[in-house]
Amino acid sequence: MSLITTDGLTMRQGGKTVLSNVDFSISKGEIVTILGPNGSGKSTLLRLLIGALRPSAGKVVRQKGLKIGYVPQKLHIDPTLPLAVSRFLQLPGRVAPAAAKAALQRVGATGFEDQQLASLSGGQFQRVLLARALLSQPDILVLDEATQGLDQPGSAAFYSLIEELRQELGCAVLMVSHELHVVMAASDRVLCLNGHVCCQGAPEHVASAPEYRALFGTGTHGALALYRHEHDHDHDHDGHHHHDGCDHDHAHTHDHSHQEGSV
């Protein structure tokens, strides 16, 4: 059963087409990661999926009564504003103190209730944002670059926590991330986006550290070529093959052990 499905989703902003004809779905319990270069429409797609934006064309269908827990990329809070964690967790609706305490405890932020948001480290703040997302008892957790600014051990610990929560709650997880070393291990499915869906499918573990390091110096080609695309398999729920012209040459990373048609 799909929690969210899109059909021909298109978004134009400022006279420019940001997303074109995106067909996507995510099912209960699934972890899906969206990859793509800067400006490829990743955050726009997330905002369309959760209903924060209205599409220019196409449609988004959400399961009736779907509860979404959203962890934004950044949340700008005036550092001079006195706002304790306990108060922040009450926005926008009241939450029982016991529920707030339990959520903080679950994300490894025990005893943070009286701390000021402005005094938290990046990792602590992300955990508080995650606790807030959990308070809605979500069917799907949506994370937009949620570990940006964290060091590698910090982000690995955060993704490990997300995996635990997925298993405990049975919720789906939809992530935008650049951290391929974690993403490849953690995701059930990877969607490659560059204004349109280039391809999607099961991820492969990033093979070696040199390749991972290389991606930082090779721009989007490195980032998008690090997982294997098996173009001879159906990757989506509709039976469509995704041969639709990703702008990047993946030929040197394809695994040709499966020839076309020899499934």
Side-chain angles (χ1 to χ4, degrees):
M1 175 69 184
S2 290
L3 301 177
I4 304 176
T5 305
T6 76
D7 182 16
L9 197 62
T10 297
M11 189 67 185
R12 289 182 283 275
Q13 292 175 316
K16 182 183 169 213
T17 300
V18 181
L19 290 171
S20 176
N21 206 32
V22 172
D23 294 339
F24 170 79
S25 69
I26 182 166
S27 301
K28 180 178 166 62
E30 194 177 23
I31 295 186
V32 178
T33 302
I34 301 170
L35 292 177
N38 288 336
S40 61
K42 302 185 298 293
S43 290
T44 300
L45 177 56
L46 284 196
R47 289 198 288 270
L48 286 163
L49 293 175
I50 67 174
L53 291 174
R54 291 176 69 92
S56 306
K59 63 180 179 179
V60 180
V61 178
R62 296 174 202 86
Q63 189 184 70
K64 193 171 180 185
L66 184 71
K67 289 183 291 211
I68 297 171
Y70 180 55
V71 181
Q73 187 172 10
K74 320 182 177 63
L75 194 59
H76 295 292
I77 290 175
D78 186 335
T80 64
L81 182 72
L83 185 62
V85 168
S86 57
R87 177 78 186 103
F88 174 69
L89 293 179
Q90 301 288 338
L91 306 174
R94 282 198 60 75
V95 174
K101 186 174 182 177
L104 288 172
Q105 193 170 3
R106 183 60 202 86
V107 301
T110 302
F112 279 29
E113 291 92 333
D114 296 330
Q115 290 202 39
Q116 294 294 314
L117 279 187
S119 72
L120 300 179
S121 71
Q124 291 170 337
F125 188 49
Q126 286 309 108
R127 285 172 187 258
V128 168
L129 286 175
L130 180 58
R132 186 166 175 252
L134 292 180
L135 285 168
S136 66
Q137 298 181 304
D139 301 304
I140 179 169
L141 267 177
V142 178
L143 310 164
D144 189 358
E145 297 272 12
T147 59
Q148 196 171 43
L150 303 190
D151 61 15
Q152 190 170 327
S155 63
F158 189 85
Y159 284 122
S160 176
L161 174 59
I162 294 298
E163 170 60 30
E164 288 173 23
L165 290 169
R166 188 266 294 253
Q167 290 181 353
E168 278 176 32
L169 304 173
C171 63
V173 178
L174 178 61
M175 304 189 284
V176 164
S177 180
H178 281 112
E179 291 171 294
L180 302 183
H181 61 299
V182 198
V183 165
M184 293 307 163
S187 306
D188 298 319
R189 188 156 48 95
V190 174
L191 182 140
C192 169
L193 191 70
N194 195 19
H196 64 284
V197 177
C198 301
C199 39
Q200 60 176 313
E204 291 289 325
H205 294 282
V206 176
S208 64
E211 283 183 305
Y212 175 68
R213 286 196 299 270
L215 91 90
F216 291 107
T218 55
T220 58
H221 280 72
L224 294 176
L226 270 172
Y227 61 95
R228 187 176 77 193
H229 303 299
E230 295 186 39
H231 286 287
D232 49 346
H233 289 296
D234 290 338
H235 285 325
D236 64 12
H237 302 301
D238 302 315
H240 297 314
H241 285 55
H242 288 282
H243 294 247
D244 56 349
C246 193
D247 300 332
H248 310 283
D249 177 11
H250 295 294
H252 60 291
T253 61
H254 283 180
D255 181 335
H256 291 296
S257 58
H258 300 291
Q259 293 304 316
E260 196 73 35
S262 60
V263 177

